Amino acid sequence: MAHTQGATWRNWARTAAASPYRSETPRDLQELSSLVVSGVSGGHQVRAVGGGHSFTPAAVTDGIHLHLDHLSGLESIERFGDGTAHVTVGAGTRLFTLNALLAAHGLAMRNLGDIDKQTVAGAISTGTHGTGARLGGIATQVVGVRLVTATGDVVDVSRDAQPELFELARLGLGTVGVLAAVTLEVVPAFRLEAREEPWALDAVLDGLDELVDGNDHFEFYWFPHTRRALTKRNNRVGDDVEARLNPVRAWVDDELLANAVFGMVNRLATLVPPATPAINAVAARALSARRFVAPSAEVFISPRRIVFREMEYAVPRAELRGVLAEIDGWLRSSGEHVPFPLEVRFAAADDLWLSTAHGRETAYVAAHQYVKMPFKRYFQAVERIMAQVDGRPHWGKMHWLDAERFGQLYPRFADAQRVRAEADPTGVFGNPYTDQVFGARHPQG
Ligand SMILES: Cc1cc2nc3c(=O)[nH]c(=O)nc-3n(C[C@H](O)[C@H](O)[C@H](O)COP(=O)(O)OP(=O)(O)OC[C@H]3O[C@@H](n4cnc5c(N)ncnc54)[C@H](O)[C@@H]3O)c2cc1C
């Protein structure tokens, strides 16, 4: 197994760093299990890291840092009569690898987020989601998890086998063990027609229910300091519809406008902050409409080359309009300058204990700030606004909440704390971030 000592690790957004005692890349399940046992016996915490794409220090440790690059790829496919399948992959499989291997078997994920650099384990452990009023996040598509527990044992958990442990294994920040493999429910490959159009924000808000419920995947970006938005409507289409985007146009939209020009916009706003409203007004108007059809994963995923910081809150869908009005009001009165659009997405209510959409139809509001601009004052103002409507922060994005507040926000939070304490009595799978969000010490610790 590959082994390094004392190397510094940093996350994608440069908001978290770690200098672990040891970094290990186990070659197989047996080596992984031995490493967990050695962590327990040596008094070191053990933390797996995925793609490092969380903004929170969720994957940080000064103990043993595990990289599961070798626990990657397809293990098995079980097909069903309705075309769906259960696909088991190594927990360290990157989403881009997963999408490619599913496509090769005529299959696809039902829904995905914006990017594909994460690992399957990392994505589900923080509740990563996309958009779609009838759909849940990636963890809702998990039907089984193979877990290495604090004793080094390997257990397969699901709704039928140790269902409480399964709850935290599929969405629990890696606090009940190291995920070694994940079984996902997937669907036959499908294509999406994407319609992207600039709209007036008020037109979006006035027609919101129709837009959200009338499309398979609806989202919009609101340009702060303006009343403009970019809408995205993605809907399933049959095989007869043919309308691929010309590759030059795709490059202009995805690379030049979304990354290169947008990078310049952010640098300009950093140099001349008071010009931000004017810059945003031009940027929002410069976007042109486009329509294309492509395999689902190509439509869901966009390249993200501009580094930013992000906070994202899940709020009851009915509260969205009020929340956006409050943020608009705060931006006007505070004099804060924000070149980055806010992203608004939607999800169905689900029953996962720690899902941000637990028990309620959800709207997600994501605030971003360019890496070279201060973010704290803006994000803390957004957090205060979200608190008024019992907003729940994304587990992998910036926030300042603690276990006491999570106890008020999640009806099954006490159960989650109990299962964590039972599964990991000595706290081998903990770190300062999990102590912040689940409580500093386990009841029996
Ligand atoms: C540019 C960008 C775009 C993003 N887009 C979206 C989006 O569209 N939707 C969305 O919801 N989120 C999005 N995110 C957030 C991202 O999906 C989550 O933070 C996700 O957790 C990152 O996955 P990762 O593999 O990088 O995991 P990491 O950040 O490395 O780890 C996340 C957590 O999982 C744990 N973990 C990882 N592997 C294991 C394992 N094998 N066993 C146990 N625990 C493990 C880690 O310890 C940590 O607690 C985005 C982030 C960035 C930077």
Side-chain angles (χ1 to χ4, degrees):
M1 89 187 89
H3 164 92
T4 46
Q5 212 146 0
T8 302
W9 170 91
R10 269 178 225 291
N11 66 343
W12 177 87
R14 300 172 220 158
T15 47
S19 299
Y21 159 73
R22 275 162 64 191
S23 289
E24 301 283 356
T25 311
R27 274 179 309 218
D28 53 31
L29 192 55
Q30 204 172 349
E31 282 190 359
L32 173 58
S33 164
S34 309
L35 283 164
V36 171
V37 171
S38 77
V40 174
S41 59
H44 297 292
Q45 289 186 314
V46 177
R47 203 87 191 124
V49 57
H53 272 62
S54 292
F55 296 84
T56 51
V60 161
T61 186
D62 57 10
I64 301 176
H65 220 190
L66 299 176
H67 300 258
L68 300 193
D69 306 70
H70 295 309
L71 277 78
S72 168
L74 181 64
E75 200 173 289
S76 65
I77 300 182
E78 187 186 357
R79 292 184 184 269
F80 302 104
D82 62 357
T84 63
H86 287 178
V87 171
T88 302
V89 292
T93 307
R94 300 281 176 150
L95 295 184
F96 56 82
T97 306
L98 172 72
N99 291 335
L101 71 83
L102 289 179
H105 288 88
L107 298 166
M109 293 290 287
R110 211 183 280 276
N111 201 6
L112 285 166
D114 286 347
I115 60 155
D116 59 6
K117 305 287 183 261
Q118 309 96 317
T119 58
V120 171
I124 64 174
S125 295
T126 61
T128 295
H129 63 88
T131 191
R134 292 178 290 277
L135 297 163
I138 298 180
T140 66
Q141 301 162 57
V142 173
V143 294
V145 174
R146 184 166 312 135
L147 196 64
V148 177
T149 66
T151 51
D153 291 317
V154 178
V155 294
D156 284 307
V157 295
S158 67
R159 268 191 196 277
D160 302 322
Q162 305 197 53
E164 293 203 329
L165 194 54
F166 175 58
E167 275 297 336
L168 266 79
R170 64 175 164 168
L171 203 176
L173 290 166
T175 51
V176 291
V178 181
L179 280 60
V182 178
T183 304
L184 298 154
E185 188 190 57
V186 300
V187 296
F190 61 99
R191 298 186 319 148
L192 289 170
E193 180 186 52
R195 278 178 77 181
E196 301 179 359
E197 288 172 9
W199 279 39
L201 176 65
D202 297 300
V204 176
L205 296 177
D206 289 346
L208 197 64
D209 281 339
E210 218 177 305
L211 286 166
V212 176
D213 296 324
N215 290 287
D216 293 335
H217 310 272
F218 173 71
E219 68 178 304
F220 66 95
Y221 291 86
W222 163 44
F223 288 77
H225 314 293
T226 79
R227 302 297 292 171
R228 306 290 307 169
L230 174 68
T231 60
K232 291 194 176 191
R233 284 170 281 176
N234 298 331
N235 287 292
R236 283 173 174 244
V237 284
D239 290 340
D240 48 320
V241 183
E242 193 47 75
R244 276 195 96 81
L245 194 64
N246 154 343
V248 176
R249 174 75 200 277
W251 181 83
V252 168
D253 288 333
D254 290 341
E255 288 297 343
L256 194 67
L257 288 178
N259 284 300
V261 175
F262 190 51
M264 273 160 50
V265 162
N266 279 283
R267 284 194 291 278
L268 185 61
T270 310
L271 287 173
V272 197
T276 308
I279 295 169
N280 283 8
V282 173
R285 289 195 180 275
L287 294 163
S288 58
R290 65 172 180 165
R291 197 169 179 151
F292 62 95
V293 175
S296 56
E298 282 178 39
V299 174
F300 288 131
I301 306 300
S302 306
R304 291 272 187 275
R305 303 197 207 288
I306 310 298
V307 180
F308 54 82
R309 274 69 190 269
E310 183 172 348
M311 157 179 277
E312 182 173 51
Y313 262 88
V315 299
R317 193 174 131 182
E319 304 286 356
L320 176 65
R321 211 186 166 110
V323 159
L324 294 183
E326 292 265 342
I327 295 174
D328 194 25
W330 183 83
L331 286 170
R332 282 170 202 273
S333 62
S334 66
E336 192 77 15
H337 300 293
V338 181
F340 242 95
L342 287 103
E343 185 179 12
V344 180
R345 294 183 278 185
F346 301 89
D350 66 49
D351 62 357
L352 277 63
W353 286 3
L354 297 178
S355 165
T356 46
H358 182 97
R360 62 193 198 195
E361 285 191 3
T362 292
Y364 289 101
V365 179
H368 309 77
Q369 186 58 292
Y370 182 47
V371 66
K372 294 196 173 135
M373 292 180 81
F375 63 88
K376 205 165 168 183
R377 181 168 174 248
Y378 172 39
F379 286 5
Q380 288 189 332
V382 171
E383 186 157 277
R384 283 194 299 276
I385 292 166
M386 300 301 182
Q388 294 164 21
V389 295
D390 283 343
R392 298 171 179 150
H394 189 300
W395 296 104
K397 301 188 184 178
M398 321 270 321
H399 70 86
W400 286 271
L401 304 195
D402 60 15
E404 193 185 336
R405 181 65 180 141
F406 285 119
Q408 297 159 355
L409 293 172
Y410 286 91
R412 302 301 300 267
F413 196 70
D415 290 315
Q417 287 176 308
R418 171 179 53 79
V419 171
R420 176 194 177 211
E422 287 163 6
D424 183 18
T426 63
V428 66
F429 298 123
N431 70 4
Y433 179 69
T434 59
D435 287 348
Q436 174 195 331
V437 301
F438 286 108
R441 243 338 350 131
H442 300 186
Q444 68 238 65

